[in-house]
Amino acid sequence: MTTGRIAGGRRPAWAWALALVALAAAASPLIAYWLTNPEDQRLVDLDVYRTGGWALLRGLPVYDVITPAPQLLPFTYPPVAAMLAVPLAMMSWPVAQWVWTVAIVAVLAVTVRHAFRAFLDGVRGVLAAPLLFAVLCAACTYLMPIRDQFRFGQVDLFLLALCLLDCVARRPWWPRGMLIGLATAVKLTPGVFLVYLAITAFPTREGDEGQRRAFFMAVFTAALLTLLPFLVIFDDARDFWFGALLDSERLGANAATTNQSLRGMLLRLYLPDWLTTVLWLAAVAVIGWYGFRRARRAYLDGDVTTAVALTGLMAVLLSPVAWIHHIAWVVVVLAALAGSGRDPVRLLVAAGVWLYYVLPIPWWGVTLKALEIPVLSPVAGKIVQNAFGLGAIGLVWLLGTWLPRRRAAVAVPAAAT
């Protein structure tokens, strides 16, 4: 039985400090590479955030301002995100790059510590858990969706951590649900966790009172932060909700390889628009029904990490646009698969998933299509090009069906002995 206490006693602070140093060393090649590449290619999404804050400071229309050439990227987030980006705009560009990059490393460490808690808390020895923590952090750093956090200066990992902490923190010092509401207000896709809180809070079940409070707090926080800009920056709030939000092309080419959502994969089939829409809505309905149903089942079974991982995958698959860096949820997927680390089969499966998302497989599909080999290139190229999205569908099945069966299969022999 897991008590939540670390086996072998409390680890000294210096052991965890060494683990953080090891994490910094593992991340340093990525940091050095992306902070020294050509300046106009550096952390381009962070530049978008700063541009939104910069526009507010100068009284310019947030959704009409774009980043400098050659990127020319518009601000695409809700207006409250621009308000939160003002401190970034007040920093110099070099300082903002370093602050954001160091913050990504820190947030990744927090994410790994909470996602892999069952794995880490079961390890004995003064140095064993910190060493394992460092190894897990380093491994997750080189997942392609996490590498892209450093490359683009993305916010995804921050939003992931907010949702994860709100769901798994044992004794939160904030009202549970508030962080999910904040994440939803900043970038709409975390709104899938409002669905998660709703389906795990209702119908009434003993012990769900806290989950219901979390749901109402999340809705209240998201609504408050959505309405606040109408009181402070009304024109920008109106421009977003009645203009920019409805233009998906502001996000970039929706059919590009990096869009690994269900819709992105269907767009790359280049079917008639009406047929693409019908197929997308059908796929959203089927996969959404299955994914949320399995997330609720995992929550009721006490496996909150798996429930969170499944919900995160819904954010990727059901969204009209989900770039590769949005699949940062694979960190939580790996933690759910690894569990306590006592089942070697689960560890092997987790290792296979890790390797799959370390390799730039979708770009191999682009190369394969460019070879123009008759029959092979068009079909195989599209399949490989969609590898991460198809992989996400496979992960939903893996967590929703295979994992409960595997857990039951392991539990039966254990009970017999």
Side-chain angles (χ1 to χ4, degrees), residues 276-322:
T276 297
T277 300
V278 169
L279 292 174
W280 176 54
L281 293 176
V284 164
V286 172
I287 293 177
W289 174 83
Y290 176 87
F292 284 120
R293 182 167 171 265
R294 292 297 179 171
R296 183 175 188 273
R297 182 72 264 164
Y299 170 80
L300 294 176
D301 289 342
D303 189 358
V304 178
T305 302
T306 297
V308 171
L310 280 165
T311 306
L313 290 172
M314 293 300 98
V316 172
L317 290 169
L318 307 187
S319 173
V321 176

Side-chain angles (χ1 to χ4, degrees), residues 238-259:
R238 180 199 58 207
D239 290 346
F240 175 77
W241 290 104
F242 300 102
L245 176 63
L246 306 177
D247 181 10
S248 62
E249 293 301 323
R250 285 177 63 92
L251 302 174
N254 288 193
T257 301
T258 192
N259 183 9

Side-chain angles (χ1 to χ4, degrees), residues 212-366:
R212 286 193 291 274
R213 287 197 298 269
F215 169 73
F216 290 123
M217 175 55 68
V219 171
F220 170 77
T221 304
L224 178 65
L225 294 178
T226 298
L227 293 174
L228 178 63
F230 281 99
L231 301 176
V232 182
I233 48 173
F234 177 83
D235 290 342
D236 291 316
R238 180 199 58 207
D239 290 346
F240 175 77
W241 290 104
F242 300 102
L245 176 63
L246 306 177
D247 181 10
S248 62
E249 293 301 323
R250 285 177 63 92
L251 302 174
N254 288 193
T257 301
T258 192
N259 183 9
Q260 293 286 314
S261 69
L262 292 172
R263 179 170 171 268
M265 291 187 283
L266 288 170
L267 285 174
R268 285 190 287 276
L269 296 178
Y270 298 102
L271 302 171
D273 289 347
W274 69 268
L275 182 56
T276 297
T277 300
V278 169
L279 292 174
W280 176 54
L281 293 176
V284 164
V286 172
I287 293 177
W289 174 83
Y290 176 87
F292 284 120
R293 182 167 171 265
R294 292 297 179 171
R296 183 175 188 273
R297 182 72 264 164
Y299 170 80
L300 294 176
D301 289 342
D303 189 358
V304 178
T305 302
T306 297
V308 171
L310 280 165
T311 306
L313 290 172
M314 293 300 98
V316 172
L317 290 169
L318 307 187
S319 173
V321 176
W323 309 128
I324 286 174
H325 49 73
H326 293 166
I327 314 177
W329 286 102
V330 72
V331 172
V332 187
V333 170
L334 292 174
L337 290 172
S340 64
R342 296 177 182 176
D343 183 352
V345 173
R346 289 176 62 175
L347 290 178
L348 284 172
V349 172
V353 171
W354 173 82
L355 180 60
Y356 186 84
Y357 280 95
V358 164
L359 301 172
I361 300 177
W363 302 109
W364 297 351
V366 176

Side-chain angles (χ1 to χ4, degrees), residues 4 21 47 62 133 144 167 172 181 191 193 207 222 257 261 316 322 356 380 395 398:
V21 170
D47 199 18
V62 169
F133 169 73
M144 190 173 180
C167 292
F193 279 89
T257 301
S261 69
V316 172
Y356 186 84
L395 291 177
L398 204 63

Side-chain angles (χ1 to χ4, degrees), residues 21-34 98 105 141-142 150:
V21 170
L23 169 58
S28 59
L30 284 177
I31 294 172
Y33 182 81
W34 292 117
W98 275 104
V105 176
T141 298
Y142 284 87
F150 292 95

Side-chain angles (χ1 to χ4, degrees), residues 3-69:
T3 64
R5 283 180 279 189
I6 299 175
R10 183 180 297 276
R11 277 83 181 193
W14 62 263
W16 290 106
L18 284 178
L20 292 176
V21 170
L23 169 58
S28 59
L30 284 177
I31 294 172
Y33 182 81
W34 292 117
L35 290 187
T36 57
N37 68 326
E39 188 168 354
D40 60 11
Q41 303 293 318
R42 196 180 304 165
L43 278 65
V44 295
D45 287 331
L46 176 60
D47 199 18
V48 170
Y49 311 149
R50 291 181 75 250
T51 298
W54 176 86
L56 284 184
L57 288 174
R58 284 155 182 77
L60 300 174
V62 169
Y63 298 97
D64 290 342
V65 174
I66 58 176
T67 59

Side-chain angles (χ1 to χ4, degrees), residues 2-3 17 82 85 100 108 111 136 204 208 233 246 283 288 336 365 382 391 415 417:
T2 301
T3 64
W100 197 259
L108 177 62
T111 299
L136 290 172
T204 302
D208 272 346
I233 48 173
L246 306 177
K382 285 184 183 296
T417 58

